[in-house]
Amino acid sequence: MAGDPINLLGLPRAELETFVAEHLDAKPFRARQLMKWIYRRGAADFAGMSDLGREFRARLAEVAAITVPQIVAEQRSADGTRKWMLRMDEVQGIETVYIPEPHRGTLCISSQVGCAMDCTFCSTAQQGFNRNLTVAEIVGQVWLAHRELKDTRPDGRAITNIVFMGMGEPLANYRNVVPAMRVFLDELGYDLSRRRVTLSTSGLVPQIYKLAEECNVALAVSLHAPDDELRNELVPINRKHPIGELLEACWHYIDKQNGRSVTFEYVMLDGVNDKPEQARALARLLRGHPAKLNLIPFNSFPGTRYRCSPGAAILRFRDILNEHGLIATTRRTRGGDIDAACGQLAGRVKDRTQVRLGAKLTGRAAAQSP
Ligand code: SAH
């Protein structure tokens, strides 16, 4: 058979069934057997797949491969959080973080090498953007973490939740993120319920509508400001898709997917978005809608102009939201000692952007932007 072997890692079930039919003239149950080996047992070669015939395995090895990213470094936090740097090519790397808690284990995965969204408070944004991850590179993060972690729990299920909150804007890599999510949800894949797979977005409105038609997962939205003027500054994509349109898309998603609520992420920046009147404005915006708020203490990184709001300001902000009938929680910072907390993932990115998004949308030249 000519051509490169096809990487089976990350192929959703329907595509794997097509693959075995076309390339191996095999029935769909072969695809199911393969999925069990790849995801449940974490197999990376065909030789050990004992319930597949010898000849079938040999043919598989000619046309297919299970190629996983390579771990180049691992760090462990005092609080149990683990961070892996994965090699993407000679120079570039992405990061994946595992956050253990008593009753769950959350894997925070990346969707791109860098990010082009240019949010002013995020360290990934400072690195610029290089490329989208492939489906195999997205699913590969879970595959690797599962391999590293499965012996840490008696039932082998160390990963109970997956969140797209690592590097990158997942909806900007829609084409590869959706098939990866199908593998996370598939009972022969990672068998996670739709409430345990969370896609976090800076607010790409057209893709939220598209997702509503195609895939059912929990939605988190990086709001960070109660009005367009401030959000334009913090999250530049807001200039293209302002808050009103974004919220419409969110409510549509919940309706369509029969979901419970959208989680709005709100990073607490001292003196910027943490005033009581801003909490009240936020409450007015979201009250009566299926919305929850997750307040994230700002995590610092070298060169940032922001500081985290003081603890008392965060509490007051949360209390005001609660008094207005909104459910607001504060995210506990994890892995701060190994730069694994929200917004601290930097990886290694060779920037290919010529003009930063913020500059592009305001018409300023990149060189003049701060
Ligand atoms: N691109 C996606 C996923 C990114 S990161 C998104 O924008 O939602 C996940 C969350 O961490 C987002 O809400 C992001 O705004 C937040 N975040 C980014 N930088 C941060 C920082 N320095 N401190 C705390 N949270 C940060």
Side-chain angles (χ1 to χ4, degrees):
M1 172 81 49
D4 288 337
I6 293 180
N7 190 0
L8 302 190
L9 187 67
L11 282 194
R13 196 194 297 203
E15 284 176 43
L16 196 57
E17 287 176 351
T18 309
F19 168 81
V20 298
E22 282 179 1
H23 292 260
L24 301 155
D25 200 19
K27 296 252 156 46
F29 82 94
R30 292 291 181 200
R32 296 199 287 274
Q33 283 178 308
L34 278 166
M35 287 190 79
K36 277 194 202 158
W37 278 107
I38 298 173
Y39 303 112
R40 206 149 306 159
R41 304 209 181 100
D45 62 64
F46 303 116
M49 298 183 173
S50 49
D51 56 356
L52 301 175
R54 188 187 294 264
E55 220 173 284
F56 185 77
R57 280 180 273 166
R59 272 195 295 149
L60 253 177
E62 280 169 22
V63 294
I66 302 165
T67 309
V68 299
Q70 199 189 328
I71 298 178
V72 287
E74 181 187 342
Q75 285 175 281
R76 292 188 193 207
S77 159
D79 69 16
T81 299
R82 289 163 77 162
K83 179 172 87 167
W84 295 279
M85 163 90 87
L86 307 182
R87 181 179 193 273
M88 292 296 117
D89 59 33
E90 289 68 32
V91 288
Q92 304 191 96
I94 53 138
E95 296 183 326
T96 305
V97 177
Y98 176 68
I99 306 143
E101 288 172 276
H103 299 291
R104 66 175 173 193
T106 303
L107 193 71
C108 177
I109 61 172
S110 296
S111 55
Q112 299 182 310
V113 182
C115 188
M117 292 297 109
D118 202 20
C119 299
T120 51
F121 52 86
C122 179
S123 94
T124 303
Q126 314 284 307
Q127 305 266 310
F129 170 74
N130 188 275
R131 67 171 175 86
N132 284 329
L133 296 185
T134 63
V135 186
E137 288 165 340
I138 298 169
V139 175
Q141 297 171 61
V142 184
W143 191 96
L144 282 170
H146 179 68
R147 184 188 72 189
E148 298 295 305
L149 297 164
K150 65 181 187 310
D151 297 333
T152 61
R153 302 256 171 153
D155 61 358
R157 300 197 64 146
I159 301 167
T160 62
N161 295 62
I162 297 176
V163 298
F164 278 93
M165 296 187 189
M167 299 166 68
E169 167 50 52
L171 289 184
N173 185 13
Y174 188 95
R175 201 161 57 93
N176 296 329
V177 163
V178 169
M181 295 197 296
R182 294 201 198 290
V183 172
F184 302 158
L185 299 171
D186 194 311
E187 55 174 336
L188 296 177
Y190 291 102
D191 191 24
L192 296 177
S193 87
R194 64 191 180 96
R195 300 194 197 291
R196 291 175 177 271
V197 176
T198 302
L199 183 140
S200 176
T201 178
S202 55
L204 301 194
V205 168
Q207 286 89 332
I208 294 175
Y209 282 103
K210 208 164 153 210
L211 193 69
E213 300 300 320
E214 291 179 10
C215 194
N216 196 341
V217 292
L219 183 66
V221 171
S222 295
L223 192 58
H224 306 315
D227 59 79
D228 282 322
E229 197 188 344
L230 180 58
R231 194 164 189 272
N232 284 345
E233 189 189 313
L234 300 176
V235 185
I237 195 69
N238 193 69
R239 293 173 187 273
K240 211 164 157 196
H241 307 297
I243 293 176
E245 280 176 30
L246 174 58
L247 295 183
E248 276 309 310
C250 291
W251 315 144
H252 171 81
Y253 185 83
I254 292 299
D255 267 357
K256 193 81 194 176
Q257 294 290 7
N258 202 12
R260 281 189 199 150
S261 56
V262 175
T263 300
F264 291 94
E265 296 156 289
Y266 196 97
V267 63
M268 299 301 298
L269 305 170
D270 187 20
V272 176
N273 65 355
D274 63 350
K275 301 182 195 79
E277 64 264 29
Q278 288 166 315
R280 286 189 286 273
L282 195 56
R284 280 195 297 277
L285 206 57
L286 301 178
R287 199 166 32 192
H289 292 288
K292 274 197 286 203
L293 270 141
N294 195 205
L295 306 180
I296 314 176
F298 171 67
N299 294 305
S300 194
F301 54 88
T304 181
R305 66 184 112 140
Y306 299 108
R307 271 172 319 179
C308 182
S309 309
I314 300 179
L315 282 178
R316 188 181 51 191
F317 201 87
R318 190 185 66 188
D319 288 346
I320 296 173
L321 293 169
N322 290 156
E323 282 157 23
H324 285 79
L326 281 166
I327 297 172
T329 52
T330 308
R331 189 179 292 179
R332 200 152 61 89
T333 296
R334 298 287 303 267
D337 56 342
I338 55 166
D339 286 343
C342 306
Q344 290 186 319
L345 300 188
R348 252 189 253 129
V349 180
K350 218 161 76 189
D351 189 14
R352 290 197 302 121
T353 44
Q354 260 135 38
V355 183
R356 289 290 168 103
L357 186 65
K360 193 155 131 192
L361 295 177
T362 52
R364 280 180 290 141
Q368 289 162 2
S369 67

